[in-house]
Amino acid sequence: MRERVYRIEAVVLRRSSFGEADRMLTLYTPMGKRRVIAKGARKTISRLAGHIELFTHAQLMLATGRSLDVVTQSSVIHDYTQLRGDLNRIGSAYYVAELVDRLTEEGDENSRLFQLLVAALGALDSTERVDLAVRWFELHLLDALGYRPQLTNCVVCAAPLTEVADRFSPLSGGVLCPNCVSSDRSALPMSLGTFKLLRYLQSQAIDSVDRMTLTATLRDEAEHLLRTAIRCILERDLKSVVFLDEVRHG
């Protein structure tokens, strides 16, 4: 049985007004996603207000409630100050948070995904290669949730992939070898550079993005392939994609 009052580490994915002065928060924690109430958080005198901003990584004290638990205390671990001062960074953070929110169910424990989320927000706060940090997160998020894109063996026949492989199938969940291209006529073209980039990011820690210098064409292609794969899983587009595209392309 859970304690009446307990402490938990969390990232704020989403928040909304609740009642006259409260906030409803969607959190991601090592124990999975959960919704909680921060009572009085919309009041100007609230001690919680500055500690439950979107994307904040915090240590929370929660009291068990009848339907939703209640935040009683919060202390910030990381507030990601630089992230909040740049539209591209904050747009990417919205996208990362929406990905986690849409691809997870409440209460499904996934401590690995929590650590990936914290790592991604830290990178978005510091790296100059923001888009590559997002690509890294997409690949590792999909892996942590059981949707790992197949980039080493053909997703249809399991034959080892070589550099001649040039089709990515979002529907099948990975790269097709030349013999299996006909299995998905809608498979997307993929350059060798993008193939190598995706394989590299899938196997590396997030700080590897700081050492990479890539053409805009290659980065755009990687983004297109992974966004299409995610769209196939969700069967919808994410709202944050529109905002992010407007920020980047005006």
Side-chain angles (χ1 to χ4, degrees), residues 181-194:
V181 167
S182 60
S183 68
D184 181 7
R185 296 295 184 184
S186 65
L188 301 173
M190 177 189 63
S191 68
L192 177 58
T194 298

Side-chain angles (χ1 to χ4, degrees), residues 182-248:
S182 60
S183 68
D184 181 7
R185 296 295 184 184
S186 65
L188 301 173
M190 177 189 63
S191 68
L192 177 58
T194 298
F195 185 25
K196 289 182 175 180
L197 170 62
L198 295 179
R199 289 177 67 153
Y200 181 77
L201 290 175
Q202 193 178 60
S203 66
Q204 298 297 311
I206 196 165
D207 59 4
S208 65
V209 304
D210 288 321
R211 302 188 292 272
M212 304 178 75
T213 303
L214 304 166
T215 66
T217 299
L218 194 153
R219 292 155 81 137
D220 288 347
E221 184 180 287
E223 178 180 66
H224 177 59
L225 295 182
L226 288 175
R227 276 195 187 175
T228 306
I230 289 166
R231 187 185 303 119
C232 285
I233 294 168
L234 289 172
E235 299 182 341
R236 61 187 293 183
D237 286 314
L238 297 176
K239 294 178 181 178
S240 54
V241 167
V242 176
F243 174 74
L244 192 52
D245 286 346
E246 287 177 352
V247 168
R248 288 181 179 169

Side-chain angles (χ1 to χ4, degrees), residues 29-237:
T29 79
M31 272 65 75
K33 186 171 70 176
R34 60 180 61 185
R35 291 183 304 153
V36 301
I37 296 293
K39 289 189 176 294
R42 288 160 56 205
K43 295 179 179 178
T44 55
I45 60 172
S46 172
R47 291 179 298 175
L48 287 176
H51 296 187
I52 55 170
E53 296 291 331
L54 281 175
F55 321 128
T56 299
H57 177 201
Q59 187 79 243
L60 304 177
M61 187 73 77
L62 297 174
T64 306
R66 287 186 179 180
S67 56
L68 295 172
D69 293 351
V70 178
V71 181
T72 60
Q73 293 180 38
S74 176
S75 60
V76 174
I77 300 173
H78 296 110
D79 59 4
Y80 307 116
T81 305
Q82 186 170 327
L83 180 156
R84 300 176 192 283
D86 180 274
L87 279 177
N88 185 35
R89 292 179 192 276
I90 202 166
S92 297
Y94 273 109
Y95 175 71
V96 162
E98 190 179 7
L99 266 181
V100 174
D101 192 18
R102 296 300 182 190
L103 282 167
T104 59
E105 296 294 332
E106 205 164 335
D108 288 348
E109 185 172 342
N110 194 325
S111 59
R112 179 187 171 199
L113 179 52
F114 177 76
Q115 295 303 324
L116 291 172
L117 175 59
V118 170
L121 290 173
L124 294 180
D125 189 56
S126 60
T127 187
E128 295 303 316
R129 293 162 175 79
V130 171
D131 63 315
L132 293 179
V134 174
R135 301 292 81 76
W136 179 93
F137 181 71
E138 289 168 332
L139 284 163
H140 289 262
L141 164 83
L142 292 174
D143 188 11
L145 294 175
Y147 299 108
R148 179 184 175 90
Q150 182 54 259
L151 303 175
T152 55
N153 296 80
C154 175
V155 71
V156 172
C157 73
L161 293 167
T162 67
E163 292 186 353
V164 298
D166 64 356
R167 288 293 184 275
F168 181 87
S169 172
L171 289 173
S172 301
V175 177
L176 302 170
C177 73
N179 293 329
C180 294
V181 167
S182 60
S183 68
D184 181 7
R185 296 295 184 184
S186 65
L188 301 173
M190 177 189 63
S191 68
L192 177 58
T194 298
F195 185 25
K196 289 182 175 180
L197 170 62
L198 295 179
R199 289 177 67 153
Y200 181 77
L201 290 175
Q202 193 178 60
S203 66
Q204 298 297 311
I206 196 165
D207 59 4
S208 65
V209 304
D210 288 321
R211 302 188 292 272
M212 304 178 75
T213 303
L214 304 166
T215 66
T217 299
L218 194 153
R219 292 155 81 137
D220 288 347
E221 184 180 287
E223 178 180 66
H224 177 59
L225 295 182
L226 288 175
R227 276 195 187 175
T228 306
I230 289 166
R231 187 185 303 119
C232 285
I233 294 168
L234 289 172
E235 299 182 341
R236 61 187 293 183
D237 286 314

